[in-house]
Amino acid sequence: MAREDIHRSALEPLTNISQDQYIRTVMDASWNWRDVKERASYVIDLQITRAKYSQFFYSLFQNLREQQWEWLDFQKKSNEQVDGSKLNLQLHFEKLNPAELCAATEIFRRHCTAQEEGWKTGRRGFMIGKVSNRLKYLHQLVTKVQVRCHYSQQKSSNNNTRILQSPNQDFPILEEVSKLLQKGKEHYGHDLRWNVMQHEHNRQQIHEAYERCCAGTTVKIHLEQDLSKLPSRSIVQDRDRQLLQEIRIQRRLGFFEAALQKLDSMDQHHPRNLFHRVTVFESQGNFEKAAQVYSAETSSPSDSIEHLLLRVVDSYLQCFTRGLWLRALQIAENALKSVACSPINEDSIEAMIYLELYCFKILNAVRKDLRKPISTLTWAAERLFALRIHLQRLGEHYIALDLLELELELAKQPVNFHEVVDSELVKNFVDWRVDATKASCLVGDFLHSLRASQLLEQSTDNLGAEGYATLMLVRALVSHEKMMEPLEKVMEILDRAESQFTLCVCKLGVAEAQLLRIGLRSHDIVNAEEIEAIQETFETLQFFPGLEYVIRFRSIQTTGGLGPEASNASTELFGQLTTLALRSGNIIQSQIYRLRSMRRWTQTPTFIIACEQTFHPDKGFNSEELCIQASWLLSQLYSLSHNFAEAEAYALLHLKYVQAQEDPQAVHNAILNYLRTVVDVSSDLPDLQRIEEFTNIASIWDIMLYQLCQKIEHVNVHDAPSYAGLSIDTCLWFSTAIGSNIDENSLQPLSRPLLSTLVANIKLATHLMAILPIHLRPLYFSKLGMALGMASEYSGNPLLSLFCNNEALPWAKNLDEFNYYLSKLQIGRRLCSMIHWDRPNFQVFQPLARSRLIEAQSFFWENSRRQAFYQSAVTSSMALGRSYLRELQILIEELDWGEGKSAEELEPVHVENRRQLIDLADSGICCVKKGIDGSSKLRDGLHEMPPMQALENQRSFFLGDMEVLHWVHMGLELDRATVNKEYFRFWEAIQEWKAVCLGDAMARSMANERQATRIVESLVEESAQLPVLKEQNILPLQTDAPEQTDHRSVLGGPGETNIQNAFLAQSQVSQSTKGEEVEKELWSMAELAEKHLEPGKSLIFIDWTRYEDTFFLAAYNATSGTLITRVVECDYSAAEQWVAENIGRFKDEQGNQARKRLRQTENLKELYPLFEKLNSFIEKDDLLVLCAAGILRSVPLHAIPFPNIDDPPLIAHNPVVYCASNALMAKCVSRANGKMPDSYRATAIARLGPEDPIEEARMHDTAKLAMQHFSDPTIISGREATRRAFIDTCKNANFVHYHGHASLESSACKDRALSLEPTGSDPGLLDVMDIFGLQIKAATVVLLACASGEEDLTPNDDPLGIISAFMYAGASNIVGTLWPTQTEDARVFSEAFYRYAFGGENGDAGGIRTSYLARAFQQAVLELYELWDGEEPYHWAHFQLRMTF
């Protein structure tokens, strides 16, 4: 610190000089000396910090280059080529020698010492007072998660967490995450409603039942006592039992058909025979047929030991077929108590032994699923051992063999196993393996007794038992990376087993032994005919375990014959295993395999359904293993969809499951996964908050890495880890995690602690890489180079970042194509950014930057089946499109392209420059289109999900880089229109983004309702029934006089164009067909509107959009064909501020909020610029369709004064309809003007609650007045207005009136609900998911509820809320409210609206068919407006008519 103070003192004069220069630069008329001085001091201090850390990173960069040169010298001498797969194997299986371990220990010690010093001096750690609840929680998690992850049970007052009880472990779940997990899910039907946390109750019961069974001391004592009462002679006495003995032998030797034939000749309903039939199918691995055997006996209750055995066996099988773990545990617990309390009966001794055997099988299956330690079932293993010894003394070796098999299963423990994933070796798979020493003891003891019995009896009847016991031993020996016995000895044991199987003509045993032998000599050339013959044997015998062995063996060949060292984790392998498990009826295993086959982003919708179904309390399988797999996958899949909140929730749930497994490596990986999702969530924060959050994440990461270093530092020399155990990848994780959040500015926002963490991590990785043998170092050259590039970016050294990424390129190309093209993407982005900020010096790099980005874009889109590829593909399209946009904006200002001149006035240089600008814009648009199309492919598959979940996930694709891509597209189209005046294409581009997800969902819904799939055709058919308009009424697009150019905007100036010219230009980029379809839709709607409009009046569509902070509007007169575009003299930020100050809404997606009442009509004048430039375009009584953008969706646009600032509101001048997009409106118009029903079904629901019966009675009377215009309506109110009644009465309704409360407590608009009467366990909330499931027919829906029209919006203005749900359910016209409404205002509006719409006051009377809802809505609002004397907009401005007219 003293040294740093000296430097600061020396730099103080320089600081003063720099401050003076800075002040002269930024000074204006309102400058403040103190403020400027503080700003200047911060800037200079920041630059000193950047310079210091840049030097650190440069020294690390030089260190990296020296190691690369060293390797190149080594390669020249050894002529060794880089083989990534081979190097990965060596990295994981070669151990550190003592000298290397000593060097690594010293490096870790130095890192830990430096870390401790940083914590003591305060240079590292949290930014106190600025830590979010999420990171306080994460800090608590990291500091307390150890091997067993014990946590405090007390609720923390400062971290907003609450404790959820987890069996044997208390684990805190962040409150907002818990709420998200309790959000309703729906799958395959409206009645399957559930949430993830419901699964926790079943899970806890399973844990408790298992602990109860394992703690059954009384049962254990009784079982030990009963052992002395077992018979001392063979239990095989009568003829039937001799047959069963033969069946048992045939079952073990694989003569399944012969065994079943003998069972067919016996009493097929006797429980003993049924049990043996089950065991035959179970030995085949056919769980489906085994489970079917007991189904016939379910109606035969009995207390006999044989029937109890059948119930236990059935419950065991249903663990795998239906996931009924809790039921199985309960039956097993009761059965063990029954065995302990029942007297020994020699007639039922076999049943009693097998009863215990299957009870222990249940306990072991649950133990493996919960990953409980062996010690929990030590007593069961001891009991089995004692029973087996006794049985072998009696000569019952085949029964004893069944017990031995379970003994070996009980002795298995979870072992971390290597998998090859996408050619990369990772150690993340847990397999169950028995200790070889333990297996040798158990099998050796069995074989000793068996051989002694054979010598005594001079018999060879038990050769099969001896062969299978020997086979079990071999499997135990070869299942470990290092075999206890030499390969020659293992082969000798295997030969003995095969000879025994040959003597007893056991084809199954011979095939199994041959497959094991082939696996042991996998380095030899494998004879394909041998494998085919073995597979044919297994298929003939229908032996499913053997078929699984064959599939796995074939997959091993694709990993280079790794044998027991690694397993192939390819999707193809697990796809085959899924099919096989389904054939065998092992449903739970098929689910696990299915989840493990989910690695392609194109299957995201199906996978999300499958994964979430795992947590269904009834339809799921209550399997801990499934939950671990599913929660991890969901955290990945939702991250892919930019649904970071859900991703974080499932990552935390995954950590909750993993921490109970007593696997430190799994816990570490789970924390990394959760930390990744926290980084993703933080990336959406504003700059200042984001850098604070990243700084605190860095402090948490410091703790994690410190713990890891301490652990490795104390490793014993005899337990030296592999080179992969140095965790170099882990050291680089943090720089990679935050790398995706780098801004496109020259200088990144940063903090000292964040840079300190980056320096310490990369320095540690660099030093550790130097320990590696020189031939392994290429594995990390590219990774370290990219990490240094990202760190240099944060230190404000873009040139060094370029050097580092460029240095990584050749090494990545040899080892990993993904990192190779990712480096190209990083280089291209950085060069484009430098060109943007310092064009004179870096413009020469423009071709190089684009070539890098084009290469990356092509590669990532061609290989976009993988998740990371898709994300990088979108990023590359965005970066490339933005590069073209930036250059286009500069050239528009620099080039002389004849701005403001007519076509006749253009000179050749103007034409050429215009062509250059248009080509540049088209090139950028082409990049954007590639991104749009790629994203659309994924969204198209989402229809496999339930409607609302599909829509939620579709909307999430417009976040992140897709949001930037949206603005890039708008900018390119705006600038293109500036040059060639083709504004119709710009308007089309606006519609291409708006509400596309809801539009797609409705299109699919309508396709199911109607055979006609094209909206235009349906509109034309309907319009054919109307009077034919004269040809002159539909005019081509007109051109008005040019206006003065506005140089402040990207657009330049407003203008008009001709549709024919627009279509001609669009044909050059293959868009004429689409443009013609849009034109037909608009003109068809104009024809339909003509029915209601006065002569000479028009249908006008008005769209707002924005580019950065600038608003633009496009107004299209669909009757005359005229289009105009204008720059709005109101910035987007100003509109946001107005909404916050006058309405109290701060975000588009904000739900529960502190609202404000819009009291002053005067305040609406501030928004007059939104319509100011439409004065001459809109005539009185034209029908206006308003399509707002972003925060304007919260503004009552119809209440803004028009045509002049002091005039009454727009609604007094024109009828107004709101829509989310013009395409969406076309769908609603098509639906509303479809085939007329024979009769209209109208329903009204009114409920306020028991607290105000008088007002509720008034609401009921209002509903009756509304329904008097319809025949035979349905009216429910008060206590009858339940959720179920609403759903039932609205089915196939054509008119729905709702007057009541809406629940506004949810944090997001999309989670709101209509408040109905509670009944029992039903709280009476009709939420958005319920509404999606309604079946209403082209209905008009009036929602007189608080803020029913507020919806959650994505950056592309895709809505999701109550109104969107009704539109999907079948509504065509919806009346909603923008903010909470008073019941009296709603009643007055309702009575006026129905009077004008259906009461004959609006022209023709007689029903909904001839009503003009837009005019009726206008008159109703104006009545309220006049009632309040034109003031108090809170009471009249919040009503909106959506979608049709």
Side-chain angles (χ1 to χ4, degrees):
M1 289 295 291
R3 187 177 180 183
E4 187 173 328
D5 291 338
I6 292 173
H7 282 298
R8 288 185 179 281
S9 299
L11 288 170
E12 187 143 358
L14 175 62
T15 302
N16 292 331
I17 296 171
S18 300
Q19 282 180 340
D20 182 69
Q21 186 65 35
Y22 182 73
I23 289 168
R24 294 175 187 277
T25 304
V26 302
M27 184 174 65
D28 55 25
S30 59
W31 70 278
N32 177 283
W33 162 253
R34 293 184 181 275
D35 177 59
V36 174
K37 183 176 180 179
E38 289 176 3
R39 290 166 60 189
S41 298
Y42 172 76
V43 169
I44 293 173
D45 185 66
L46 193 62
Q47 293 307 323
I48 293 172
T49 301
R50 293 183 191 278
K52 170 186 173 183
Y53 284 106
S54 289
Q55 184 63 36
F56 285 153
F57 292 130
Y58 182 71
S59 64
L60 292 174
F61 172 66
Q62 287 294 97
N63 185 300
L64 174 63
R65 297 193 72 178
E66 289 172 5
Q67 293 198 40
Q68 290 176 348
W69 292 334
E70 186 180 349
W71 185 88
L72 289 172
D73 291 338
F74 163 78
Q75 191 211 26
K76 289 179 182 177
K77 295 176 183 178
S78 63
N79 199 27
E80 182 172 338
Q81 299 300 317
V82 177
D83 185 339
S85 300
K86 181 181 177 182
L87 292 181
N88 260 311
L89 285 177
Q90 294 173 349
L91 184 76
H92 283 83
F93 297 118
E94 291 184 8
K95 305 293 185 182
L96 277 77
N97 61 42
E100 291 168 339
L101 182 59
C102 182
T105 302
E106 178 60 22
I107 291 172
F108 288 129
R109 187 192 62 76
R110 289 201 303 265
H111 176 84
C112 291
T113 302
Q115 188 68 56
E116 291 166 0
E117 183 182 347
W119 287 330
K120 288 177 183 177
T121 58
R123 295 196 305 269
R124 309 285 281 273
F126 273 164
M127 300 174 69
I128 305 300
K130 301 179 180 180
V131 187
S132 66
N133 290 329
R134 175 178 288 104
L135 290 189
K136 287 179 181 178
Y137 164 76
L138 185 57
H139 182 265
Q140 177 195 24
L141 204 62
V142 170
T143 54
K144 292 189 177 182
V145 170
Q146 300 298 334
V147 175
R148 286 285 306 204
C149 313
H150 289 294
Y151 290 92
S152 169
Q153 297 186 21
Q154 298 182 357
K155 181 178 179 180
S156 172
S157 61
N158 65 346
N159 65 356
N160 194 31
T161 64
R162 63 189 180 89
I163 303 300
L164 289 183
Q165 294 298 321
S166 172
N168 306 317
Q169 298 287 328
D170 300 318
F171 190 91
I173 290 286
L174 202 62
E175 188 170 3
E176 53 260 39
V177 171
S178 178
K179 288 180 179 179
L180 187 60
L181 292 173
Q182 294 182 41
K183 179 183 172 184
K185 300 287 184 182
E186 179 183 14
H187 287 321
Y188 306 120
H190 188 63
D191 295 330
L192 285 179
R193 297 292 301 278
W194 55 282
N195 68 66
V196 171
M197 297 309 286
Q198 287 174 332
H199 174 266
E200 287 298 295
H201 177 68
N202 293 350
R203 178 175 172 268
Q204 183 171 349
Q205 285 186 314
I206 292 171
H207 276 264
E208 291 173 352
Y210 178 79
E211 296 294 342
R212 195 167 53 246
C213 288
C214 294
T217 308
T218 305
V219 174
K220 299 175 190 176
I221 294 172
H222 279 292
L223 290 177
E224 291 171 2
Q225 291 174 348
D226 289 343
L227 188 61
S228 62
K229 301 178 182 179
L230 289 175
S232 57
R233 54 191 175 82
S234 174
I235 60 177
V236 180
Q237 297 175 8
D238 57 34
R239 179 180 176 277
D240 281 350
R241 296 196 179 209
Q242 290 177 356
L243 282 175
L244 292 176
Q245 173 75 345
E246 294 175 9
I247 291 170
R248 191 181 301 114
I249 295 173
Q250 290 175 335
R251 168 176 64 84
R252 290 301 315 191
L253 298 182
F255 302 117
F256 303 122
E257 286 298 327
L260 290 174
Q261 288 175 6
K262 285 188 178 179
L263 285 168
D264 290 340
S265 65
M266 303 170 68
D267 183 0
Q268 298 186 25
H269 298 287
H270 194 286
R272 182 178 56 193
N273 300 338
L274 288 172
F275 165 73
H276 281 279
R277 184 177 294 274
V278 170
T279 60
V280 172
F281 290 129
E282 187 191 354
S283 296
Q284 286 182 291
N286 196 327
F287 287 84
E288 182 180 10
K289 288 186 177 180
Q292 291 172 355
V293 173
Y294 183 68
S295 60
E297 295 297 313
T298 54
S299 60
S300 306
S302 173
D303 294 331
S304 69
I305 194 70
E306 287 86 358
H307 282 93
L308 180 58
L309 171 61
L310 278 180
R311 285 198 293 275
V312 170
V313 173
D314 177 64
S315 65
Y316 168 71
L317 294 171
Q318 291 203 36
C319 290
F320 302 96
T321 57
R322 296 175 59 189
L324 301 181
W325 304 92
L326 183 60
R327 173 178 176 270
L329 283 170
Q330 292 168 343
I331 290 176
E333 181 182 13
N334 294 331
L336 286 173
K337 290 179 180 178
S338 176
V339 171
C341 299
S342 301
I344 295 295
N345 183 346
E346 292 191 3
D347 292 335
S348 60
I349 185 61
E350 181 186 2
M352 291 186 70
I353 291 173
Y354 274 109
L355 180 63
E356 288 187 45
L357 177 69
Y358 275 89
C359 286
F360 296 152
K361 276 190 174 186
I362 290 172
L363 292 176
N364 187 56
V366 176
R367 177 185 76 89
K368 292 177 69 174
D369 187 69
L370 303 181
R371 294 190 189 175
K372 295 290 185 180
I374 293 177
S375 56
T376 57
L377 289 180
T378 302
W379 63 278
E382 292 173 352
R383 171 68 175 180
L384 284 171
F385 178 78
L387 282 173
R388 177 171 59 79
I389 293 299
H390 192 83
L391 287 170
Q392 284 196 274
R393 289 174 184 167
L394 300 179
E396 298 294 340
H397 298 293
Y398 280 93
I399 299 178
L401 184 63
D402 291 337
L403 299 183
L404 174 65
E405 191 172 32
L406 183 55
E407 281 185 86
L408 292 172
E409 287 293 322
L410 287 173
K412 285 184 176 180
Q413 301 184 73
V415 177
N416 284 326
F417 200 55
H418 291 94
E419 284 186 326
V420 178
V421 182
D422 296 321
S423 75
E424 183 177 350
L425 197 63
V426 293
K427 194 169 186 176
N428 64 345
F429 174 51
V430 174
D431 195 13
W432 289 83
R433 297 181 178 181
V434 64
D435 179 73
T437 304
K438 179 71 173 177
S440 298
C441 292
L442 292 174
V443 176
D445 185 77
F446 177 86
L447 292 175
H448 177 75
S449 299
L450 180 63
R451 288 165 184 164
S453 175
Q454 287 178 334
L455 289 173
L456 185 64
E457 298 175 5
Q458 297 294 315
S459 171
T460 58
D461 293 341
N462 296 314
L463 283 176
E466 182 178 356
Y468 269 106
T470 306
L471 207 58
M472 293 177 192
L473 176 61
V474 174
R475 286 198 180 116
L477 292 175
V478 303
S479 64
H480 294 267
E481 293 180 6
K482 287 191 174 181
M483 292 188 293
M484 283 184 54
E485 302 290 344
L487 179 60
E488 295 76 10
K489 187 172 182 180
V490 174
M491 294 292 281
E492 182 182 337
I493 297 172
L494 193 57
D495 289 339
R496 185 161 58 247
E498 186 175 354
S499 64
Q500 289 162 345
F501 289 133
T502 304
L503 289 174
C504 59
V505 200
C506 177
K507 292 182 180 180
L508 179 60
V510 170
E512 291 186 81
Q514 288 176 346
L515 187 60
L516 263 175
R517 177 182 290 104
I518 294 173
L520 287 173
R521 53 179 175 83
S522 56
H523 58 279
D524 298 335
I525 298 176
V526 178
N527 189 336
E529 294 181 358
E530 290 184 66
I531 301 297
E532 291 292 341
I534 293 171
Q535 182 176 351
E536 185 178 351
T537 300
F538 291 151
E539 284 285 4
T540 303
L541 298 175
Q542 288 292 290
F543 184 61
F544 291 105
L547 292 173
E548 180 174 347
Y549 294 151
V550 171
I551 292 174
R552 288 188 177 276
F553 176 80
R554 291 183 187 278
S555 73
I556 289 175
Q557 306 309 307
T558 64
T559 64
L562 300 180
E565 295 177 344
S567 169
N568 188 354
S570 67
T571 56
E572 293 77 11
L573 166 65
F574 288 110
Q576 294 175 33
L577 292 177
T578 301
T579 304
L580 183 66
L582 285 171
R583 280 180 59 195
S584 68
N586 191 341
I587 305 302
I588 194 167
Q589 194 63 54
S590 72
Q591 292 296 318
I592 292 174
Y593 288 150
R594 186 184 182 196
L595 294 185
R596 300 206 66 210
S597 71
M598 298 178 182
R599 298 195 188 276
R600 300 301 182 196
W601 70 270
T602 50
Q603 297 169 301
T604 295
T606 306
F607 291 171
I608 288 178
I609 292 176
C611 292
E612 289 185 341
Q613 194 81 352
T614 298
F615 300 98
H616 195 289
D618 299 321
K619 304 297 181 182
F621 284 87
N622 295 308
S623 165
E624 195 109 339
E625 182 64 28
L626 268 175
C627 290
I628 289 173
Q629 295 279 350
S631 56
W632 180 84
L633 269 170
L634 286 168
S635 72
Q636 304 290 319
L637 295 171
Y638 277 119
S639 290
L640 168 67
S641 304
H642 285 90
N643 192 338
F644 297 137
E646 292 263 21
E648 182 199 14
Y650 282 109
L652 186 55
L653 192 64
H654 175 69
L655 178 56
K656 175 181 173 65
Y657 292 133
V658 167
Q659 59 85 33
Q661 306 299 316
E662 297 187 345
D663 183 349
Q665 183 61 43
V667 171
H668 177 76
N669 292 339
I671 293 178
L672 280 183
N673 185 50
Y674 178 55
L675 193 57
R676 174 191 57 79
T677 63
V678 172
V679 171
D680 287 339
V681 171
S682 304
S683 64
D684 287 337
L685 298 173
D687 284 350
L688 183 59
Q689 294 179 7
R690 186 175 74 249
I691 201 63
E692 290 174 355
E693 203 81 342
F694 282 171
T695 300
N696 293 326
I697 291 173
S699 69
I700 293 171
W701 178 247
D702 283 340
I703 297 171
M704 288 186 62
L705 197 57
Y706 177 82
Q707 292 174 345
L708 182 63
C709 289
Q710 279 198 319
K711 176 185 173 184
I712 301 177
E713 183 184 349
H714 296 94
V715 169
N716 191 294
V717 177
H718 301 291
D719 298 322
S722 66
Y723 290 109
L726 291 175
S727 302
I728 299 176
D729 286 301
T730 303
C731 297
L732 298 175
W733 181 89
F734 182 70
S735 60
T736 305
I738 66 172
S740 59
N741 294 286
I742 292 176
D743 289 337
E744 292 297 318
N745 304 318
S746 291
L747 299 179
Q748 309 298 322
L750 55 81
S751 68
R752 250 193 220 94
L754 177 58
L755 280 174
S756 297
T757 298
L758 287 171
V759 168
N761 287 195
I762 297 176
K763 183 178 179 181
L764 178 60
T766 305
H767 291 166
L768 289 174
M769 189 178 71
I771 295 176
L772 293 177
I774 193 169
H775 67 279
L776 292 180
R777 294 180 193 174
L779 285 171
Y780 291 105
F781 286 159
S782 63
K783 294 177 182 179
L784 193 55
M786 293 178 69
L788 274 171
M790 293 170 187
S792 301
E793 194 82 43
Y794 267 100
S795 70
N797 195 330
L799 285 174
L800 180 58
S801 174
L802 279 173
F803 283 129
C804 293
N805 279 293
N806 195 59
E807 197 70 24
L809 271 179
W811 306 98
K813 185 174 184 179
N814 291 330
L815 294 171
D816 186 353
E817 275 193 316
F818 174 77
N819 280 329
Y820 174 66
Y821 285 98
L822 187 61
S823 293
K824 285 181 176 287
L825 174 58
Q826 298 292 350
I827 292 170
R829 290 182 70 180
R830 173 40 49 199
L831 281 173
C832 287
S833 179
M834 294 167 72
I835 293 167
H836 176 66
W837 293 103
D838 192 1
R839 184 178 176 85
N841 289 320
F842 289 96
Q843 173 62 22
V844 67
F845 293 107
Q846 185 75 272
L848 175 63
R850 292 223 179 106
S851 68
R852 290 282 191 262
L853 289 174
I854 289 171
E855 287 180 69
Q857 183 191 41
S858 300
F859 173 77
F860 286 128
W861 281 121
E862 288 172 5
N863 300 274
S864 56
R865 290 187 301 168
R866 290 173 59 186
Q867 299 176 17
F869 281 61
Y870 171 71
Q871 300 285 12
S872 299
V874 174
T875 301
S876 59
S877 291
M878 177 273 296
L880 191 54
R882 184 166 54 190
S883 167
Y884 285 109
L885 174 61
R886 286 171 171 172
E887 185 175 3
L888 179 62
Q889 291 171 341
I890 292 172
L891 292 182
I892 284 177
E893 298 296 328
E894 292 181 352
L895 296 180
D896 180 10
W897 48 275
E899 184 177 8
K901 295 182 179 181
S902 64
E904 294 75 13
E905 298 173 323
L906 293 179
E907 298 177 8
V909 65
H910 298 150
V911 175
E912 179 59 30
N913 288 340
R914 283 196 177 195
R915 184 71 266 160
Q916 180 183 350
L917 294 174
I918 292 174
D919 288 345
L920 199 62
D922 286 343
S923 298
I925 292 170
C926 180
C927 301
V928 171
K929 294 288 187 181
K930 202 161 190 175
I932 295 174
D933 294 342
S935 177
S936 178
K937 289 179 182 179
L938 178 56
R939 290 189 294 106
D940 286 344
L942 287 166
H943 65 271
E944 300 173 20
M945 301 179 70
M948 180 178 171
Q949 285 176 256
L951 186 55
E952 279 188 290
N953 282 279
Q954 282 183 325
R955 296 168 75 250
S956 66
F957 280 91
F958 290 92
L959 304 175
D961 283 341
M962 279 298 292
E963 178 181 0
V964 182
L965 197 69
H966 176 200
W967 305 133
V968 169
H969 191 195
M970 293 299 98
L972 287 165
E973 292 287 2
L974 282 169
D975 287 344
R976 192 181 193 281
T978 299
V979 176
N980 64 2
K981 307 301 179 184
E982 295 176 3
Y983 291 104
F984 190 82
R985 172 167 164 166
F986 163 56
W987 187 52
E988 277 186 320
I990 296 175
Q991 297 303 316
E992 190 173 355
W993 286 87
K994 281 193 174 182
V996 292
C997 299
L998 181 60
D1000 291 345
M1002 286 185 60
R1004 287 193 297 271
S1005 176
M1006 293 173 65
N1008 295 331
E1009 296 171 4
R1010 304 167 60 180
Q1011 293 183 354
T1013 58
R1014 293 184 60 193
I1015 298 172
V1016 175
E1017 292 178 355
S1018 64
L1019 290 171
V1020 171
E1021 291 173 2
E1022 183 63 27
S1023 63
Q1025 303 174 7
L1026 303 175
V1028 178
L1029 298 176
K1030 293 182 178 180
E1031 186 173 342
Q1032 58 266 27
N1033 287 346
I1034 307 297
L1035 301 177
L1037 197 76
Q1038 300 296 320
T1039 303
D1040 60 7
E1043 288 189 14
Q1044 182 66 33
T1045 300
D1046 187 346
H1047 294 287
R1048 294 174 303 164
S1049 72
V1050 176
L1051 179 60
E1056 290 75 28
T1057 186
N1058 187 278
I1059 288 182
Q1060 295 176 356
N1061 294 335
F1063 286 158
L1064 183 61
Q1066 292 164 29
S1067 65
Q1068 297 175 4
V1069 287
S1070 303
Q1071 291 189 336
S1072 60
T1073 302
K1074 184 176 180 180
E1076 291 171 359
E1077 290 180 356
V1078 172
E1079 180 188 10
K1080 288 180 181 178
E1081 286 184 358
L1082 298 175
W1083 284 2
S1084 297
M1085 284 190 284
E1087 289 178 341
L1088 293 173
E1090 185 77 13
K1091 175 181 178 181
H1092 307 291
L1093 296 174
E1094 297 178 7
K1097 302 305 174 184
S1098 302
L1099 172 64
I1100 298 177
F1101 295 89
I1102 304 174
D1103 284 84
W1104 287 267
T1105 189
R1106 70 182 176 107
Y1107 175 69
E1108 295 182 348
D1109 198 39
T1110 304
F1111 265 127
F1112 302 91
L1113 68 81
Y1116 176 62
N1117 188 320
T1119 304
S1120 66
T1122 304
L1123 170 69
I1124 65 171
T1125 61
R1126 297 290 185 267
V1127 181
V1128 177
E1129 300 295 333
C1130 175
D1131 292 337
Y1132 189 85
S1133 56
E1136 284 184 312
Q1137 183 178 355
W1138 187 94
V1139 172
E1141 292 175 352
N1142 292 277
I1143 298 177
R1145 197 173 190 209
F1146 298 90
K1147 294 181 180 179
D1148 296 334
E1149 71 278 3
Q1150 184 176 353
N1152 191 13
Q1153 52 200 295
R1155 299 176 182 279
K1156 298 180 181 180
R1157 294 193 174 190
L1158 183 58
R1159 293 295 191 186
Q1160 302 295 325
T1161 305
E1162 192 73 17
N1163 294 352
L1164 288 163
K1165 293 182 179 180
E1166 298 176 25
L1167 299 179
Y1168 175 70
L1170 292 173
F1171 288 96
E1172 183 177 10
K1173 295 188 176 180
L1174 294 175
N1175 293 0
S1176 60
F1177 192 74
I1178 299 175
E1179 297 182 5
K1180 186 174 176 57
D1181 293 328
D1182 283 344
L1183 175 57
L1184 306 184
V1185 179
L1186 307 183
C1187 186
I1191 201 66
L1192 291 188
R1193 294 289 184 95
S1194 301
V1195 175
L1197 296 172
H1198 61 280
I1200 296 174
F1202 188 82
N1204 299 305
I1205 194 169
D1206 295 320
D1207 285 342
L1210 175 65
I1211 193 71
H1213 190 264
N1214 296 88
V1216 172
V1217 177
Y1218 289 84
C1219 72
S1221 74
N1222 297 333
L1224 201 59
M1225 185 174 185
K1227 293 177 175 63
C1228 290
V1229 170
S1230 171
R1231 176 188 280 163
N1233 290 275
K1235 182 180 179 181
M1236 295 293 296
D1238 297 332
S1239 61
Y1240 276 87
R1241 292 190 67 252
T1243 184
I1245 302 97
R1247 178 195 173 272
L1248 185 63
E1251 63 274 6
D1252 193 347
I1254 297 177
E1255 183 61 30
E1256 191 173 63
R1258 294 176 184 150
M1259 292 164 59
H1260 177 79
D1261 293 340
T1262 301
K1264 288 179 65 177
L1265 285 174
M1267 294 298 101
Q1268 69 179 349
H1269 303 289
F1270 303 94
S1271 59
D1272 195 23
T1274 301
I1275 303 174
I1276 56 175
S1277 62
R1279 311 294 73 76
E1280 296 178 356
T1282 64
R1283 174 176 166 272
R1284 176 46 57 187
F1286 189 107
I1287 293 173
D1288 292 341
T1289 57
C1290 286
K1291 188 173 183 179
N1292 296 322
N1294 305 105
F1295 193 95
V1296 178
H1297 168 97
Y1298 172 78
H1299 192 177
H1301 286 305
S1303 175
L1304 305 180
E1305 286 75 23
S1306 59
S1307 59
C1309 299
K1310 60 188 176 71
D1311 296 327
R1312 287 181 177 168
L1314 301 180
S1315 298
L1316 298 163
E1317 189 67 20
T1319 57
S1321 60
D1322 186 351
L1325 296 177
L1326 186 83
D1327 60 19
V1328 174
M1329 187 178 291
D1330 286 315
I1331 299 170
F1332 262 86
L1334 296 176
Q1335 298 176 4
I1336 51 183
K1337 300 294 184 182
T1340 297
V1341 178
V1342 178
L1343 299 174
L1344 304 177
C1346 293
S1348 59
E1350 277 189 347
E1351 298 197 273
D1352 180 272
L1353 293 176
T1354 56
N1356 68 316
D1357 297 309
D1358 226 311
L1360 180 58
I1362 292 176
I1363 284 185
S1364 302
F1366 271 108
M1367 279 194 286
Y1368 179 86
S1372 299
N1373 318 280
I1374 305 174
V1375 174
T1377 59
L1378 277 180
W1379 52 72
T1381 181
Q1382 294 187 354
T1383 56
E1384 183 179 358
D1385 295 335
R1387 284 191 289 104
V1388 173
F1389 169 83
S1390 172
E1391 291 170 4
F1393 176 71
Y1394 292 126
R1395 185 171 68 252
Y1396 284 107
F1398 310 124
E1401 298 189 26
N1402 188 39
D1404 296 335
I1408 191 172
R1409 174 65 175 176
T1410 57
S1411 67
Y1412 182 16
L1413 295 182
R1415 179 69 73 184
F1417 175 81
Q1418 179 190 32
Q1419 298 301 323
V1421 171
L1422 288 177
E1423 277 198 18
L1424 271 174
Y1425 171 76
E1426 293 168 0
L1427 181 65
W1428 290 94
D1429 296 327
E1431 290 297 330
E1432 295 286 344
Y1434 172 79
H1435 294 280
W1436 57 268
H1438 57 309
F1439 295 103
Q1440 284 189 337
L1441 174 63
R1442 302 281 184 94
M1443 285 310 150
T1444 62
F1445 37 80

